[in-house]
Structure formats: C-alpha cells, structure tokens
Amino acid sequence: LKKRYLGPVARGEAMFSYALSEAEAGSDAAGMKTRAVRDGDHWVLNGAKMWITNAGVSEYYTVMAVTDPSAGARGISAFVVEKGDAGVSFGPKERKLGIKGSPTRQVILEDVRIPADRMIGAEGTGFKT
Ligand SMILES: Cc1cc2nc3c(=O)[nH]c(=O)nc-3n(C[C@H](O)[C@H](O)[C@H](O)COP(=O)(O)OP(=O)(O)OC[C@H]3O[C@@H](n4cnc5c(N)ncnc54)[C@H](O)[C@@H]3O)c2cc1C
C-alpha cells in the first residue's frame, strides 16, 4: 500500500481524505454503521461517511468500516478506497460558515468491491489506527 499510494501523494499528484464520521457517529465514532464484508479475495463496503474534507477532490480515501459487528471498536478496520472504484459517489457540497478553502461532502459507498490487500494494517485495528 505504501509503494502504491505514498509516491503519488509525495509528488503532489494525489491526496487522501480521511473518512471516519457518519451522520449518527460523530464524537461516538465507534458507533459507525458502514460495513465491510469479506467475499473471497475482496471486501465489499456499504455505508455513507459524512462531512469528509476534500471529498470528491481527493483521489484516495482512508475509510473505516465495521468488519466484526460483535467486537465494538476492535471490530473496525481501515481500507484504502479510490475515487474511481465502482460504487463510490459523493453528496452535494455542504454550505459552511467557514473553512471554505476545502469542500466538505458525503462519501457514499454502494457495494464497493475492493481487493483484500487494500486493508490498512490488520483486521480489527482500524479504530486504533
Ligand atoms: C468542516 C468539517 C470538516 C470535517 N471533516 C471530516 C473529515 O475529513 N473526516 C471525518 O471523518 N470527519 C470530518 N468531520 C466530522 C467531525 O469529525 C465531526 O463533526 C465530529 O466528530 C463531531 O461529530 P458531530 O458533528 O456528529 O457532533 P456530535 O458528536 O453530535 O456532538 C455535538 C456536541 O455534543 C458534544 N458531545 C458529544 N458527545 C458528548 C458526550 N458524550 N458528553 C458530552 N458532550 C458530548 C460535542 O462536544 C459537541 O459539542 C468534519 C466536520 C466538519 C464540521
């Protein structure tokens, strides 16, 4: 993952956004509902991330999703999702009082199927990460 993504970021060719928050999981981030389900060599992600800085502009997204609903914060894993992955879309630009230098939008994930090697670190360590 480092080989694939850090080069473009360091060269200024691409950015990452950080996608943790959800409409019902802000301060209580561990209450997130976005789900990642394993399917062979892939993970399938479904959910909606809210208030994501630079959503739609960034090429890459660090997305936190629940991989084991019975394990609480230890059942959350982190993934790299790309803007061009099928099933990724963005909500309308939020109208804000300030911080107008960057857009804030929803990141919507509908059956986003990504290779298993896009998981960042070990399964269940996403929240700690
Ligand atoms: C401009 C902007 C950009 C953002 N960018 C990103 C981003 O790039 N990626 C991302 O993942 N998220 C992003 N966020 C989301 C941000 O992280 C959340 O807004 C934040 O976590 C707070 O969640 P919330 O808005 O749901 O507020 P809530 O959690 O609903 O909190 C509302 C109020 O209640 C208080 N409160 C909450 N829980 C308690 C408690 N247990 N006890 C006492 N008081 C409490 C809070 O302090 C706050 O004052 C962004 C938000 C904004 C406004």
Side-chain angles (χ1 to χ4, degrees):
L1 286 180
K2 286 179 182 172
K3 266 199 183 128
R4 178 162 176 187
Y5 294 108
L6 294 187
V9 171
R11 288 193 295 273
E13 297 164 359
M15 290 197 301
F16 262 91
S17 286
Y18 177 75
L20 174 75
S21 306
E22 297 180 4
E24 302 299 328
S27 303
D28 179 24
M32 70 177 63
K33 296 280 184 278
T34 294
R35 196 74 169 85
V37 176
R38 182 96 193 211
D39 180 19
D41 289 342
H42 289 76
W43 287 91
V44 180
L45 278 65
N46 277 286
K49 295 296 179 176
M50 192 84 185
W51 310 296
I52 306 308
T53 299
N54 288 326
V57 177
S58 295
E59 209 57 44
Y60 310 133
Y61 297 81
T62 302
V63 173
M64 314 293 163
V66 176
T67 44
D68 179 358
S70 67
R74 288 189 174 82
I76 292 169
S77 304
F79 300 88
V80 178
V81 171
E82 300 187 5
K83 185 180 176 176
D85 287 332
V88 175
S89 62
F90 303 98
K93 207 170 159 180
E94 302 290 351
R95 295 181 64 204
K96 298 177 292 189
L97 287 172
I99 321 183
K100 294 181 189 271
S102 61
T104 306
R105 298 177 192 263
Q106 257 188 309
V107 176
I108 300 154
L109 308 159
E110 290 169 299
D111 288 329
V112 178
R113 195 176 161 79
I114 57 171
D117 65 7
R118 293 256 208 100
M119 182 182 275
I120 302 169
E123 189 174 339
T125 64
F127 199 68
K128 201 173 160 188
T129 300

